[in-house]
Amino acid sequence: MLLSFHSYKGGTGKTTFVGNLGAMLARDGQKVCIVDTDVSGPGIHSLFDIKYEKTLIDFLQDTCNAKDVVYRYKDLNLFIVPSRACEEDISALFETPQDAKNKMLELINFIKDEFNIDKFIFDCSPGINKSSLLTMNIVNKATIISTIDVQDIRGTYILSSMADKLGTHANLVFNRTPRDKQKEIDGIVKDFSDNLGTNLLGSIAFDESIARTWSRKIAMLDDPECDYCTHLREIAQGLI
Ligand SMILES: Nc1ncnc2c1ncn2[C@@H]1O[C@H](COP(=O)(O)OP(=O)(O)OP(=O)(O)O)[C@@H](O)[C@H]1O
Ligand SMILES: [Mg+2]
């Protein structure tokens, strides 16, 4: 199964969600691979403290083999393909979008066979860009992580319609919601679902303890019973 996480605005919590979801599935005995396709602002290597030599970009540029860009996280069955920052969008490295897609599929197929992977999780760039849409086009399930900020919501509508056009009906998660505004949030969520028919997986409140990790810890490994992890587990059940 291939899952991807997107957002319109930056900083909605994609990398945190992807990292914790991957850790949760790996702890539950699945074989998981996280791929950082956010080449404009990669973050997965920081979250997992991966000291990389070769990255997704090197593989896409044909300067190394697929096996050189896969890093196992500690003794978990969790494999990570980090990215380094690149000024070009992934698709700009190829002549046609189909070439970019084929190269990504080559990587996925290699990792799947070599490490017997059950789940691939893609952390995507915020905004509407070609690499995010390319990933959306490859996966079985795309999820948009939005905040309830109106700038974000308007963009989430657009992103969601683009997913529909690609034939990948997107799921939606609201993250960082204010704890004291549940009524307003319920209203926003209802409007959204009514207007778009989007599959809402749930919402996660702003969690001070997650904000205070500054992406230096993975809650699912450190404190798996925390509020954030409990919500994430419920959302994952709806997704998988
Ligand atoms: N539910 C939450 N409550 C509080 N803080 C959160 C929550 N989810 C994520 N964060 C924090 O928000 C910040 C941004 O999160 P993260 O890096 O995961 O966002 P992102 O969507 O990947 O950002 P970008 O678009 O820049 O890649 C991080 O400091 C993270 O710890
Ligand atoms: Mg990120």
Side-chain angles (χ1 to χ4, degrees), residues 14-15 38 41 123:
K14 298 175 296 300
T15 301
D38 183 1
D123 186 16

Side-chain angles (χ1 to χ4, degrees), residues 87-119:
E87 62 199 14
E88 304 275 23
D89 190 277
I90 286 180
S91 56
L93 304 171
F94 296 88
E95 273 184 21
T96 68
Q98 190 59 44
D99 291 343
K101 185 174 172 180
N102 290 345
K103 192 70 180 165
M104 286 297 285
L105 290 175
E106 183 189 325
L107 179 69
I108 293 164
N109 288 330
F110 169 82
I111 299 173
K112 196 165 144 204
D113 293 345
E114 186 77 11
F115 304 103
N116 222 353
I117 297 296
D118 305 310
K119 303 267 182 320

Side-chain angles (χ1 to χ4, degrees), residues 18-231:
V18 163
N20 280 283
L21 176 65
M24 182 197 90
L25 294 172
R27 272 176 52 122
D28 289 352
Q30 303 212 29
K31 292 192 174 145
V32 183
C33 179
I34 295 177
V35 185
D36 194 348
T37 63
D38 183 1
V39 299
S40 59
I44 287 290
H45 63 284
S46 302
L47 188 64
F48 287 96
D49 197 19
I50 305 275
K51 310 273 185 287
Y52 60 70
E53 281 183 25
K54 300 291 180 187
T55 71
L56 176 68
I57 300 293
D58 301 292
F59 172 76
L60 297 177
Q61 289 177 326
D62 256 338
T63 58
C64 71
N65 295 318
K67 69 171 171 34
D68 302 328
V69 301
V70 188
Y71 298 79
R72 185 171 185 175
Y73 183 68
K74 298 192 174 167
D75 56 354
L76 285 177
N77 274 322
L78 178 57
F79 299 86
I80 292 168
V81 177
S83 188
R84 62 177 161 80
C86 180
E87 62 199 14
E88 304 275 23
D89 190 277
I90 286 180
S91 56
L93 304 171
F94 296 88
E95 273 184 21
T96 68
Q98 190 59 44
D99 291 343
K101 185 174 172 180
N102 290 345
K103 192 70 180 165
M104 286 297 285
L105 290 175
E106 183 189 325
L107 179 69
I108 293 164
N109 288 330
F110 169 82
I111 299 173
K112 196 165 144 204
D113 293 345
E114 186 77 11
F115 304 103
N116 222 353
I117 297 296
D118 305 310
K119 303 267 182 320
F120 281 87
I121 311 176
F122 296 86
D123 186 16
C124 298
S125 302
I128 293 166
N129 54 70
K130 287 183 181 159
S131 59
S132 188
L133 296 178
L134 168 75
T135 310
M136 217 175 232
N137 203 355
I138 290 174
V139 297
N140 311 106
K141 285 189 179 182
T143 302
I144 303 168
I145 302 198
S146 180
T147 65
I148 59 161
D149 186 299
V150 71
Q151 296 182 50
D152 205 4
I153 294 218
R154 291 203 172 137
T156 298
Y157 273 108
I158 302 171
L159 206 49
S160 186
S161 331
M162 297 191 88
D164 276 351
K165 277 191 199 139
L166 289 172
T168 316
H169 193 59
N171 297 286
L172 178 66
V173 171
F174 282 103
N175 188 31
R176 304 177 62 118
T177 56
R179 284 184 187 271
D180 58 343
K181 298 263 190 259
Q182 202 51 53
K183 267 207 178 127
E184 284 93 326
I185 293 163
D186 291 346
I188 291 171
V189 165
K190 189 175 176 317
D191 280 358
F192 206 97
S193 302
D194 290 353
N195 287 337
L196 222 59
T198 310
N199 183 25
L200 179 76
L201 295 172
S203 59
I204 305 182
F206 183 88
D207 190 320
E208 190 67 32
S209 67
I210 296 295
R212 281 172 187 276
T213 62
W214 295 300
S215 304
R216 285 175 167 85
K217 275 187 196 162
I218 296 155
M220 200 53 86
L221 299 177
D222 226 52
D223 184 12
E225 302 309 319
C226 71
D227 268 11
Y228 178 86
C229 294
T230 306
H231 280 120

